[in-house]
Structures are given as C-alpha cells and as structure tokens.
C-alpha cells in the first residue's frame, strides 16, 4: 500500500516581505530576528521567492491568497466584497452586491471630500457599529434599493445592496490614498451590463452624499472631535462583487483543509473555498493575537485534516503603520511560538512559511516585490542557505516562482501528486484521490 502522503501546515504571515530599515540597522524585520526555530526548519528544507501574482504587481490580500491557493484570479476572483461578507457571517442572496467598506475621515471643501485618513484614526469597533446603525436607519433605502452596512473590526464594514437590475461592475469610490478626493462611482469600461452598472452607480453616489450629511451631524463624531479624535465622516467603498460558487479547495487539491485565522477576510476566503474555519480564543487578527494558541490549534487540527492554513495578520498591521520594530517583534514571537512544533513534526508533515505580499514598512503599503518562502519536509531537496529572509531566499533551491506554483510544489513535497500523463481518474486531477474505483472481480 502506498504511503498516504504528508500533511501540510502553511503559515501565511501577512505582508511579510520588507526592505532593510535604518532602525533595524539596515536589516529587514525578518533578517533582524534570531530565528532559533525558523533556522531549525530551514536546515530541513529550502527557500525561494514568490511573486504572488507576477513580478511588480502589488496584490491585495484576497487576490494573493486566491493565487497562492491555486485559483486563477483573472477568471475566478469574485471581488473582495463577497469574501468580507462570508467572513462576517453574512449570507449574500442571489443578486445582492457586497462592497468592502471603511469608515474614513474626509475634509469637505469646494464640493469635494478629500481623504485625510482612510481608517478614521482606526476608529474602534464599537464606534463603527454605532455609526453603521445611524446610517442604516437614515440612509437604508435609496430609490427601490436597500443599503445595509454591517460593522466589522475597527474601521471596517461590509455594505450589502439589494435591488433589481443592478450590476456590480463599477469602480471603487475609495481613492486608496490620502490627500485624494473621494471618487465618483462609475461603470467599468468593460462592464457587460452597462445599464445595471449605471443604475448601481447612481444609487451608490446618492447614498454616499446622504451618508456624508448624516455623519457630519452624528453625535458619535461630535464626541470624537471633542476628544481630539478623527471623525468617521465618510464611507470608502471598494472591490464590489456578487456571491459566486468557487471550486472547493478539497476538490482542487485533494486536501481536507482547515483554517486558523483572526481576521474576518481570511476566514471568509477559507469558508468560500470550503475549508473548516476554526475559532481560536485569543486570535484577534491584530499584533496582540495569541500566536502560540493559533500554532497549537493548527497542530491539533492536523490530527483530522491534512492541510492547515494558519494566517497571522500582525506583520501587515505593523507594516501599514511603518512600524519596523513592531513587525520584527511580532516575527520574534512567531519564531518563539514554533517551540510548539517538535522536530518529529516533519516525519509526517510539511511546514511552509511565506507571506501573501510584501508590505515594506518604509512604504506602509503593499508593494510588487516578491515574498520569501520556506518549505521544510522530508521530501524537500534542502539547500545551503542558513537563514530565512528576503535576501537569503534569492540563493535558495526553490528559486523564484509565482503564487500559482505554490500548491503544486506543496502537493509534491507532501508526496501526493499524480505523475503527469498518468490518468487513474475520469476527472483530471493533480492529486491521488481517496476514492479510486477498484475493479469489481465479482463473487
Ligand atoms: Zn495581505
Ligand atoms: Zn495590507
């Protein structure tokens, strides 16, 4: 009987890739960490670089995750809105359109709203909930369409629009930068339903105008201003989409998969790909998350799953604040948490550690640079590189690959791949399935 194949623990440190920074003596946060445990796993594996999409393209977390999980984002990406909705437990009905939303601070002048802070000073979750409630009460209906804002963590929210004859093929009104005006929502040039897209734009634009008026006089914002805090006085919208059935991860790669994450988007992605999403106490999706708890939960899950995706957001949160020291400290805690993973782990599993994109602290936003990848396992051809970092990875055995190459590489490292050209199943598969059909020899 052939060996069943190894399990895989894939750790995605959000926004891991970085550049050297002066406050870390010219090192990247990853380079500055002692790597007691990462070094141990490096010895049992190889490193390389991943371009999540392709060189020079800065992905969002959602597009890069899909690419790393082996989905073709040019054909299969439904927009970020539906992932955010799924992660927040919102069931989108057919025809409903979901946007990712941010409460933001704008300055009103000359009939424009200039963005001062895209996150309204990282307004707390409770304040977001109160503002969303006011908007749902006062701006919940535009024409014959219903607008409902669901508050999420901190400044984040999900906007769900229900109406008829609408198309989601419209632009963001979020300019994605401060000092820029809040944008008019416009139909995409390539929209297949121009009329529906035009209709949605008119609704979204009048909703936003109304929201800005209501938020300007909201008690919550008056209180924030009194306390010297930035008001949440506009709603930035981006990446609209409609629910679309995605091929389950298990059907695509043959792994029974589970997800350990704190951030709602990541749980949403996992849920839409049919992974089991496990709640771990202390998993916050922030730098203060219980990393050890998440690692322990992941190890436990490998008892009855053969693929665990562990997501850690702290690296990206620090990066967006330009906090290289904080990012290094988070990575040090991550390395410490790998004390939980004994060396015997690799006898039946593969450990992979990477990021979903680079978020250099010096830029405080996503960049198109590649991210380092470490794969350790008994079937991995190891290399001579000693440490795991953006620079050392250039000399590793894995070389430079694209996001879509990761899953085939992990499948191979787990010894589960089907040799190209052989065909044991009617459906073309990348993996050896559990349910091969034996020839019935009769009684
Ligand atoms: Zn990310
Ligand atoms: Zn980010």
């Amino acid at each position: 009987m052939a060996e069943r194949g190894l399990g895989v623990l894939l750790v995605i440190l959000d926004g891991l890739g970085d550049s050297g920074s002066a406050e870390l003596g010219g090192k990247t946060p990853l380079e500055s960490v002692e790597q007691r445990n990462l070094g141990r796993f490096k010895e049992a594996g190889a490193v390389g670089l991943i371009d999540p999409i392709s060189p020079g393209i800065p992905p969002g977390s959602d597009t890069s995750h899909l690419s790393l999980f082996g989905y073709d984002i040019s054909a299969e990406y439904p927009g970020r809105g539906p992932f955010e909705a799924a992660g927040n437990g919102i069931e989108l009905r057919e025809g409903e359109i979901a946007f990712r939303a941010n409460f933001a601070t704008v300055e009103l002048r000359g009939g424009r709203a200039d963005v001062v802070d895209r996150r309204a000073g990282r307004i707390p979750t409770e304040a977001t909930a109160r503002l969303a409630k006011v908007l749902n009460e006062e701006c919940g209906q535009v024409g014959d369409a219903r607008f409902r804002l669901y508050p999420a963590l901190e400044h984040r929210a999900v906007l769900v629009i229900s109406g008829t004859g609408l198309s989601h093929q419209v632009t963001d009104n979020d300019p994605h930068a401060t000092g820029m005006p809040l944008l008019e929502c416009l139909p995409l040039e390539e929209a297949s339903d121009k009329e529906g897209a035009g209709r949605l734009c008119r609704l979204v634009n009048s909703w936003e105008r109304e929201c800005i008026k209501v938020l300007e006089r909201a008690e919550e914002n008056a209180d924030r201003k009194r306390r010297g805090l930035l008001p949440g006085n506009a709603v930035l919208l981006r990446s609209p989409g409609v629910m679309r059935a995605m091929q389950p991860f298990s059907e695509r790669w043959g792994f029974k998969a589970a997800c350990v994450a704190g951030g709602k988007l990541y749980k949403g992605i996992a849920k839409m790909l049919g992974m089991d999403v496990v709640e771990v106490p202390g998993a916050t999706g922030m730098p203060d998350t219980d990393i050890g708890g998440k690692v322990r939960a992941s190890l436990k899950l490998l008892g009855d799953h053969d693929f665990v995706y562990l997501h850690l957001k702290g690296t990206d949160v620090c990066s967006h604040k330009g906090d290289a020291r904080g990012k290094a400290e988070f990575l040090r805690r991550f390395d410490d948490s790998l004390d939980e993973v004994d060396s015997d782990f690799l006898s039946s599993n593969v450990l992979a550690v990477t990021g979903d994109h680079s978020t250099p602290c010096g830029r405080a936003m996503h960049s198109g640079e590649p991210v380092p990848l470490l794969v350790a396992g008994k079937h991995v051809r190891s290399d001579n590189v000693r440490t795991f970092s953006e620079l050392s990875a250039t000399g590793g055995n894995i070389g430079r690959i694209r996001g879509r190459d990761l899953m085939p590489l992990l499948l191979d490292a787990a010894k589960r791949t089907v040799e190209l050209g052989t065909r044991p199943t009617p459906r073309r598969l990348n993996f050896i399935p559990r349910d091969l059909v034996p020839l019935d020899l009769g009684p």
Side-chain angles (χ1 to χ4, degrees), residues 166-181:
L166 303 176
S167 158
H168 68 283
Q169 294 167 307
V170 302
T171 57
D172 306 347
N173 74 6
D174 181 349
H176 296 273
T178 52
M180 302 268 288

Side-chain angles (χ1 to χ4, degrees), residues 71 246-254 272-275:
Y71 290 76
M246 310 220 30
Q247 188 190 29
F249 186 78
S250 58
E251 274 179 31
R252 188 160 296 198
W253 300 111
M272 276 179 71
L273 300 184
M275 296 183 187

